[in-house]
Amino acid sequence: MSESERYLARVLEGLHKRIEEIEEAIAEGQKEIESMHEYYWENYTEMDQYGYENFDNQQALLHQVNANQEEMQLRHRFRKMLDSPFFGRVDFCFEGEAEPESFYIGIGNFAQRTGGIPLVYDWRAPISGLFYDYDKGSAAYTAPAGEISGEITSKWQYKIRGGRMLYEFESDIKIDDEILKAELGSNGEVQLKNIIRTIQKEQNAIIRNTRDRILVIQGAAGSGKTSIALHRIAYLLYHDRQNLKSSNILVLSPNSVFADYISHILPELGEENIREMSFDLFAYRELQDTVSDCEDRYDQIERMLAHPKQQSLYEEKQSEAFLNRMERFFLEMEDELMRFRDVEYKGFVKTEKEIIQLFYFKFMDIPLLSRMEAVAEYFIDEVETLRGSDLPEEERDAVMEKFMRMYETRDLYVLYSHFLKREGYQGLKRVAFEKRRLRYEDVYPVLYMKYSLFLQKADRTIKHLVVDEMQDYSRLQYLILKKIFPCRMTILGDKAQTMDEKMQDVMAFLPGVFGKDIRRIVMNKSYRNTVEIAEYANKLAGITDMELFERHGAAVREQEFSTLEEAAKEALSHLEIGDEGFETAAVLLRTESEASAAYHMLDKQMERKGYDTKKQLSYLDRNSSSFRKGLTVTTFYLAKGLEFDQVFSVFPKKDKTKLAAQARYITATRALHELHMYEYQK
């Protein structure tokens, strides 16, 4: 038995013992909670009249409940560690010492008793940075007490599964390429993998970055952007426990399926899950008092594919020039929208001249459509002071209504339509509220109008915002994000995967939005695809500067068919899922209607071939919320961010638009091991 195997046995023994102790503590804690409940119900009628005893009892109960929850979280982490307690070791000789010390690194800290010296160090601990950042030789890490220097005398890597040592070896380099190849070469799972065993030096620098307020990660397809961003969040939570909790973090992700795909990462890394939503859903919720419905980005993509010339209208309405014209409109409305007049209430009068003075001078910093409310409150306060009593609620509302009627309208739908007509665009349809629906190109201009004209409170509960697929956000959307979330941000994406006709480099305008607080890091090395797939995809997009990780596989297959059905049959003939094949595969198409048609074709064909389609086939649309093993049929835009072992790209040959070219590139980059590029005539 090797030294590390003996150490593994010691750690496992310690874990089992700690888990037993924790379970005893949880059981005792539960008894204490039940005892407190019994005492309360037996004695609450006799507790002192001021409630001090009741308060003390409630506080003690809350303390015990919290203690039990902490113990249960610890038990959960230690149970997970039983499978693989550690994956690395670094032997470090501190400066001035004669002998090195060994530090084993795993998914979390483990000591035989609380406060004891860890047998295993959390991958986020300061000393663990040595494992990721240095080879043998001189090294240093930053601890709370300052920089600690010394020498790495050896580094080891391990693969442990089910508490058994599968292999171990001493490594001279950061993370051995063979380990990385083994991890990347394994079949894709239905969820994104955590990468703590294979974090590279440049990735580690991003993960442990606590300085930069706005960190932009511009990464090539397959460079690990999303994984790194989530590992960075796990590190920040570990690093700043007092000020940052999981509930303080929000991820803006493309859709619910992607959210499910990444949902396990933080729990695996020992943290609670974080909130997630799409920006389109956020916008819809914010505009529910203005319109009945809003298009989302996927509606817009479908329209662009059907009517490519409409793309220019979308770009125009997101542009800086359009926004400047809207700002000018806001200034013009200051006069045009108002109908000032005297207000009288039970002998108290506020003259038109006084109202104008308050509106344009005293409350000029309040947004236009909330400003008269401030004027009304000022008048009501005056009346209440002179009367020596508060106004009844119904009278207060009546006075407020008199002031608010001085606006010609406060309806954003009407105001935005008026703006469009003034600028030479087609106005919005004049329909009843329940029939109001905004096209996607109008959603964010209307939301910007709301935030500009109404008083808004920034969301201070969110202390860190993660924006994924940054290339799909317009400058206008970033301006809105800055208004809502004045917090730290991790912004990530790939300019080559823009879902528009041309690549969008958001770094052209982000510094103008966020100022000097922004820092960009470029990741040009791709790890996801084989060299053959990556080179093929890069040729589609005209990319020449990407560095590829040397992992080879089958050549990309290109074929042409007469019909979509023929292409679907061919895909099925090459499909390799099941016990002997891949975990995941995908047929990726251009539009929702094409994806639906292909799904129904494959459903029939797979049933005839004996597949269990309920388990091995799934259709993924914008309402889907989970990602499954087997064959997935979906559109290119819903597959963004996901990866599959085997991909079949099926597109109509006639569509040679720039957007379709972008779509082909996106589908190609989804493939881990095998890629088939099909086209059909009709």
Side-chain angles (χ1 to χ4, degrees):
M1 184 182 284
S2 70
E3 177 190 352
S4 294
E5 285 176 311
R6 286 193 297 273
Y7 197 82
L8 173 61
R10 181 187 169 193
V11 171
L12 288 172
E13 183 183 354
L15 280 167
H16 282 293
K17 188 176 178 183
R18 280 295 305 274
I19 290 168
E20 285 177 16
E21 291 170 355
I22 290 168
E23 285 175 342
E24 287 175 12
I26 291 170
E28 285 298 316
Q30 193 57 42
K31 283 181 186 177
E32 187 67 24
I33 290 168
E34 289 168 7
S35 174
M36 287 179 184
H37 278 301
E38 280 181 27
Y39 175 82
Y40 177 79
W41 289 114
E42 288 173 4
N43 297 281
Y44 77 96
T45 55
E46 299 172 14
M47 290 181 181
D48 62 275
Q49 60 176 320
Y50 299 106
Y52 296 134
E53 189 179 353
N54 182 27
F55 177 78
D56 289 344
N57 192 68
Q58 293 294 329
Q59 288 298 107
L61 178 61
L62 180 63
H63 177 76
Q64 188 59 58
V65 168
N66 288 339
N68 258 29
Q69 285 179 338
E70 287 176 12
E71 292 284 5
M72 284 189 273
Q73 288 172 358
L74 199 58
R75 179 180 64 181
H76 176 71
R77 175 153 62 84
F78 288 163
R79 281 177 174 173
K80 286 184 76 71
M81 289 181 74
L82 286 172
D83 178 60
S84 180
F86 53 84
F87 55 81
R89 184 183 112 198
V90 59
D91 294 342
F92 186 65
C93 188
F94 291 92
E95 198 171 82
E97 298 290 327
E99 295 296 323
E101 291 183 40
S102 294
F103 298 93
Y104 287 80
I105 298 158
I107 205 159
N109 274 320
F110 170 67
Q112 289 181 313
R113 62 184 179 280
T114 303
I117 296 173
L119 295 179
V120 178
Y121 286 81
D122 192 296
W123 65 278
R124 297 165 290 185
I127 199 162
S128 301
L130 295 171
F131 178 74
Y132 298 115
D133 291 341
Y134 293 97
D135 303 335
K136 284 183 183 179
S138 297
Y141 68 94
T142 303
E147 187 170 271
I148 309 295
S149 301
E151 182 181 356
I152 294 175
T153 58
S154 68
K155 284 173 59 177
W156 289 78
Q157 290 179 254
Y158 309 99
K159 184 156 188 178
I160 302 167
R161 287 292 178 270
R164 291 179 57 249
M165 182 76 72
L166 300 184
Y167 59 72
E168 58 176 301
F169 62 88
E170 190 173 3
S171 172
D172 283 337
I173 58 176
K174 301 187 297 294
I175 303 295
D176 190 88
D177 276 0
E178 293 308 312
I179 294 279
L180 192 50
K181 281 181 181 175
E183 290 290 311
L184 298 172
S186 62
N187 287 342
E189 300 175 17
V190 291
Q191 291 184 310
L192 193 66
K193 297 175 184 175
N194 82 61
I195 58 170
I196 56 170
R197 295 178 70 237
T198 58
I199 292 170
Q200 306 294 286
K201 183 176 181 178
E202 66 276 11
Q203 296 172 335
N204 195 44
I206 298 170
I207 290 167
R208 292 174 186 258
N209 180 308
T210 58
R211 299 181 308 278
D212 296 302
R213 189 169 178 277
I214 310 290
L215 184 64
V216 176
I217 306 171
Q218 248 186 352
S223 59
K225 300 178 295 295
T226 303
S227 284
I228 290 162
L230 292 170
H231 284 66
R232 180 173 190 239
I233 292 302
Y235 178 79
L236 293 175
L237 286 165
Y238 175 89
H239 179 80
D240 193 12
R241 292 261 184 239
Q242 288 188 323
N243 300 310
L244 191 67
K245 296 178 173 55
S246 298
S247 57
N248 300 137
I249 298 169
L250 174 66
V251 175
L252 291 181
S253 62
N255 53 59
S256 298
V257 172
F258 183 74
D260 174 65
Y261 184 60
I262 66 174
S263 63
H264 67 298
I265 289 286
L266 285 167
E268 274 190 12
L269 298 175
E271 301 295 342
E272 292 178 32
N273 229 327
I274 53 182
R275 286 190 277 171
E276 172 282 328
M277 71 186 310
S278 75
F279 197 22
D280 289 349
L281 177 59
F282 177 88
Y284 166 68
R285 288 178 179 175
E286 288 289 288
L287 293 175
Q288 280 182 313
D289 57 353
T290 303
V291 293
S292 177
D293 196 12
C294 299
E295 281 189 347
D296 62 20
R297 186 66 196 269
Y298 302 137
D299 291 311
Q300 188 253 347
I301 291 169
E302 290 280 343
R303 275 198 291 109
M304 294 308 104
L305 288 165
H307 309 286
K309 290 181 181 177
Q310 289 187 14
Q311 173 72 14
S312 60
L313 183 61
Y314 168 75
E315 291 174 357
E316 208 171 303
K317 287 187 175 182
Q318 310 302 302
S319 70
E320 187 172 1
F322 187 83
L323 197 60
N324 290 339
R325 286 148 73 186
M326 189 182 284
E327 291 285 359
R328 188 179 65 215
F329 174 71
F330 297 160
L331 293 173
E332 292 167 353
M333 274 202 306
E334 293 254 344
D335 297 323
E336 296 176 12
L337 197 61
M338 307 311 300
R339 300 291 181 265
F340 296 110
R341 52 186 171 270
D342 294 353
V343 172
E344 186 273 336
Y345 169 75
K346 292 187 177 180
F348 298 96
V349 178
K350 185 62 70 177
T351 66
E352 178 182 336
K353 185 178 179 180
E354 288 175 313
I355 291 170
I356 290 172
Q357 184 72 17
L358 290 169
F359 191 85
Y360 286 115
F361 295 97
K362 185 171 181 61
F363 297 115
M364 64 180 295
D365 292 334
I366 294 176
L368 181 63
L369 298 184
S370 294
R371 198 180 303 169
M372 191 57 79
E373 195 173 339
V375 176
E377 287 287 353
Y378 185 85
F379 175 67
I380 290 168
D381 285 347
E382 281 185 333
V383 171
E384 289 178 339
T385 301
L386 291 169
R387 281 174 44 133
S389 63
D390 291 345
L391 268 63
E393 196 65 37
E394 62 274 11
E395 291 186 31
R396 168 183 275 270
D397 291 344
V399 173
M400 182 67 72
E401 181 60 27
K402 286 184 179 185
F403 280 91
M404 301 312 282
R405 279 202 298 266
M406 293 187 208
Y407 289 110
E408 192 174 287
T409 180
R410 293 171 80 226
D411 188 331
L412 288 172
Y413 187 87
V414 172
L415 289 170
Y416 182 68
S417 183
H418 181 51
F419 163 70
L420 289 178
K421 289 176 184 175
R422 179 177 292 197
E423 295 298 327
Y425 297 95
Q426 184 177 348
L428 303 178
K429 291 180 181 178
R430 296 182 64 180
V431 293
F433 180 86
E434 59 272 14
K435 292 185 178 178
R436 287 183 178 182
R437 187 170 193 261
L438 287 179
R439 282 200 164 191
Y440 191 68
E441 60 263 27
D442 295 313
V443 170
Y444 290 96
V446 174
L447 188 58
Y448 185 83
M449 181 176 275
K450 178 176 180 176
Y451 288 148
S452 298
L453 298 180
F454 284 95
L455 196 61
Q456 304 292 326
K457 287 184 179 178
D459 191 336
R460 300 287 176 182
T461 62
I462 300 300
K463 296 181 180 178
H464 200 107
L465 182 72
V466 180
V467 181
D468 204 354
E469 303 293 351
M470 69 180 186
Q471 70 280 356
D472 292 330
Y473 290 73
S474 66
R475 177 179 175 273
L476 173 58
Q477 288 172 307
Y478 281 108
L479 287 169
I480 293 170
L481 285 176
K482 186 184 179 184
K483 281 177 180 279
I484 311 166
F485 303 109
C487 61
R488 291 177 173 269
M489 296 186 190
T490 301
I491 303 173
L492 56 141
D494 172 19
K495 63 183 179 182
Q497 292 187 64
T498 308
M499 288 196 289
D500 289 318
E501 289 188 345
K502 57 189 177 187
M503 291 185 189
Q504 175 181 252
D505 185 357
V506 297
M507 284 305 296
F509 57 74
L510 278 188
V513 175
F514 294 109
K516 294 179 181 178
D517 284 343
I518 194 166
R519 184 183 176 205
R520 179 181 69 151
I521 295 176
V522 177
M523 298 173 59
N524 253 357
K525 189 167 185 177
S526 176
Y527 296 93
R528 177 191 295 138
N529 321 109
T530 61
V531 170
E532 290 76 12
I533 292 169
E535 286 180 343
Y536 178 89
N538 289 347
K539 192 174 179 182
L540 288 177
I543 296 170
T544 57
D545 60 348
M546 187 187 293
E547 186 183 347
L548 303 180
F549 182 75
E550 284 291 325
R551 181 174 69 86
H552 289 274
V556 177
R557 295 180 182 174
E558 292 182 306
Q559 284 180 268
E560 191 177 314
F561 303 91
S562 298
T563 64
L564 174 59
E565 187 167 13
E566 284 182 17
K569 281 182 181 176
E570 182 67 15
L572 189 55
S573 71
H574 291 285
L575 182 64
E576 297 179 32
I577 56 170
D579 296 337
E580 301 298 318
F582 296 124
E583 292 280 345
T584 59
V587 175
L588 303 180
L589 299 104
R590 193 183 58 137
T591 66
E592 203 166 33
S593 60
E594 290 163 8
S596 178
Y599 170 74
H600 290 296
M601 291 171 190
L602 286 162
D603 190 28
K604 291 176 184 176
Q605 293 170 15
M606 289 177 75
E607 270 194 3
R608 285 198 292 268
K609 289 205 168 196
Y611 284 95
D612 183 349
T613 53
K614 287 184 178 178
K615 291 183 178 179
Q616 294 179 291
L617 176 67
S618 58
Y619 177 60
L620 196 156
D621 64 18
R622 69 183 72 185
N623 297 315
S624 301
S625 58
S626 61
F627 181 44
R628 292 165 44 192
K629 286 184 181 181
L631 178 63
T632 297
V633 181
T634 190
T635 57
F636 76 93
Y637 53 79
L638 286 172
K640 277 188 73 177
L642 307 179
E643 53 189 36
F644 307 87
D645 295 317
Q646 190 179 31
V647 168
F648 301 89
S649 171
V650 185
F651 276 61
K653 186 176 182 180
K654 65 181 180 182
D655 191 348
K656 298 298 182 184
T657 61
K658 290 180 180 177
L659 182 54
Q662 284 290 102
R664 286 178 171 87
Y665 170 73
I666 290 167
T667 61
T669 58
R670 301 305 94 205
L672 287 166
H673 309 303
E674 199 174 289
L675 175 63
H676 302 254
M677 298 293 288
Y678 295 167
E679 289 187 335
Y680 60 94
Q681 297 286 352
K682 59 180 180 177

